[in-house]
Amino acid sequence: MRQAGRYLPEYRALRQRAGSFLELCYSPQLARDVTLQPLARFDLDAAILFSDILVVPHAMGLELTFIENEGPRLETVSSIADVERLDDSGRNEKFDCVASTVRLVAADIAEGKTLIGFCGAPWTVASYMIEGGSSDREMAKSVALASPEWFEALMAKLVKVSVSYLLQQIHAGAQVVQIFDSWAGELPVASRERWVTQPIAEMVAGVRDVFPGFPVIVFARGVAAGHADVALETGANCVSIEQGVRLDDVVSVLPDTVAVQGNLDPAILLGSRADLIAEVNRICSSVPMKRHIFNLGHGIGQTTDPEAVSLLIQEIRRHDGHV
Ligand code: CP3
């Protein structure tokens, strides 16, 4: 996550050249370069498309800007009339730009490396559309819990447009897709099935209607003991797990057809070499290798030294072949 982010000097340089973050997202040649930057520097197995989950509401017709050092500012939705105005056709220039990026990366990515496409899950994207940016999400939560007709309609539109968006990425060359529900853990457990796993399950089914068996990773961040249910209820091939969860507990209740990724606290990359090695050992010994994608529990910190990432990868490679 955020592997192409601001901790890399080559990202910051390119970002400066592009002007704004959104311009970078919608410039296929530059977004291609950013997507491939981590692979050029590190011995990684995969690259994640450079884009953002807020491209979807932007493409549906809402105004979006990213304020420097602050985050996104998105036009809000709060009524059925607002929802009806949203374009869920999936046909727009923004998705076309992202598909062009995917095609460029797919053409140039090294043999044996995997290109991961992605989008946000309906609940997380809806929460930004309700709040207008990063916030405590109190408003979004109260809307989800009251579940007015307009929220149901919004979630249905997000499922439809997100499936179309993922399919466009897959047609263009994405080999795996990841669905980010960054705020899944913010909803009460009783609402989780309705607003987290059910909409994601519909997305997974929508993708597999066109590409049977297509591999999907689901990141329902913050659901703690709920990751096994997320896997079972969504049909994901792999669940991504935040830091602070006991990986053993999740793995022991998951069917062995489901893989796991994540769990390394990004803050470990700011600490000592000994702590990093201990964490890599803990994680690698909790999951059989054939069911494991090594990853962080969330986005990489902005001040992370790229050398710490090199060291991490070197340590992970020592476990190649572990069972
Ligand atoms: O590694 C990558 O860069 C892959 C592409 C990627 C980005 N965002 C680029 C980005 C991905 C997969 C995302 C997902 C994303 N975006 C999520 C879900 C994952 C998560 O982090 O929980 C969310 C919630 C967003 C929304 C978003 N985008 C916010 C809230 C912000 C601003 C605050 C922040 O943490 O940076 C962004 C900006 C953003 N998205 C940046 C990048 C590289 C930084 C923008 C910059 O260069 O200034």
Side-chain angles (χ1 to χ4, degrees), residues 4-316:
R6 289 161 289 188
Y7 78 106
L8 290 178
E10 58 269 35
Y11 169 75
R12 293 195 296 268
L14 223 148
R15 165 86 160 68
Q16 210 159 24
R17 251 178 47 213
S20 78
F21 173 67
L22 274 178
E23 253 168 83
L24 189 49
C25 288
Y26 297 132
S27 306
Q29 196 63 47
L30 296 180
R32 168 224 171 263
D33 294 351
V34 177
T35 303
L36 290 171
Q37 277 174 346
L39 286 188
R41 188 190 262 265
F42 304 114
D43 177 24
L44 294 161
D45 296 309
I48 187 158
L49 164 70
F50 177 76
S51 183
D52 196 82
I53 62 166
L54 299 180
V55 161
V56 167
H58 199 206
M60 293 173 93
L62 297 182
E63 280 182 39
L64 173 67
T65 47
F66 278 83
I67 316 275
E68 219 54 54
N69 304 318
E70 201 188 299
R73 185 91 35 96
L74 182 64
E75 193 184 343
T76 56
V77 169
S78 60
S79 68
I80 193 75
D82 290 345
V83 175
E84 276 164 4
R85 272 195 295 274
L86 296 172
D87 174 9
D88 66 352
S89 68
R91 284 185 299 275
N92 58 73
E93 297 165 359
K94 291 164 181 106
F95 287 0
D96 291 344
C97 287
V98 174
S100 298
T101 303
V102 174
R103 270 190 295 276
L104 292 173
V105 177
D108 290 348
I109 197 168
E111 184 87 25
K113 305 285 177 185
T114 302
L115 173 57
I116 306 171
F118 75 91
C119 74
W123 156 242
T124 287
V125 176
S127 73
Y128 284 95
M129 295 167 92
I130 293 166
E131 300 275 348
S134 305
S135 63
D136 58 11
R137 284 161 299 279
E138 291 285 305
M139 201 161 38
K141 278 188 262 190
S142 56
V143 171
L145 291 171
S147 304
E149 192 192 343
W150 69 263
F151 182 72
E152 289 183 22
L154 173 61
M155 292 292 281
K157 276 198 161 183
L158 282 170
V159 168
K160 177 172 178 254
V161 75
S162 303
V163 168
S164 165
Y165 183 47
L166 288 180
L167 289 172
Q168 290 175 52
Q169 294 180 30
I170 297 166
H171 278 295
Q175 296 159 292
V176 176
V177 291
Q178 175 156 340
I179 299 170
F180 287 88
D181 216 346
S182 302
W183 305 122
E186 300 271 312
L187 283 175
V189 177
S191 304
R192 203 177 277 159
E193 191 172 349
R194 184 168 185 207
W195 295 131
V196 173
T197 56
Q198 202 47 49
I200 296 174
E202 287 169 31
M203 287 176 60
V204 173
V207 165
R208 296 208 186 121
D209 277 347
V210 180
F211 293 95
F214 197 84
V216 181
I217 303 169
V218 171
F219 183 33
R221 186 166 73 94
V223 303
H227 288 289
D229 287 340
V230 167
L232 297 175
E233 290 167 15
T234 62
N237 303 83
C238 176
V239 282
S240 202
I241 294 171
E242 70 276 11
Q243 59 267 25
V245 174
R246 290 180 54 109
L247 205 50
D248 292 339
D249 295 349
V250 180
V251 173
S252 64
V253 290
L254 272 176
D256 66 6
T257 49
V258 180
V260 297
Q261 88 173 6
N263 201 232
L264 183 78
D265 191 325
I268 288 286
L269 293 167
L270 309 173
S272 75
R273 185 187 171 109
D275 286 347
L276 189 142
I277 293 171
E279 273 299 282
V280 171
N281 286 340
R282 177 188 65 83
I283 291 173
C284 288
S285 58
S286 305
V287 200
M289 187 163 163
K290 69 175 189 338
R291 290 173 60 197
H292 190 198
I293 299 170
F294 201 101
N295 206 336
L296 308 186
H298 199 204
I300 193 158
Q302 228 183 115
T303 62
T304 306
D305 180 353
E307 278 310 308
V309 177
S310 293
L311 175 64
L312 170 67
I313 294 167
Q314 191 188 314
E315 286 306 316
I316 296 165

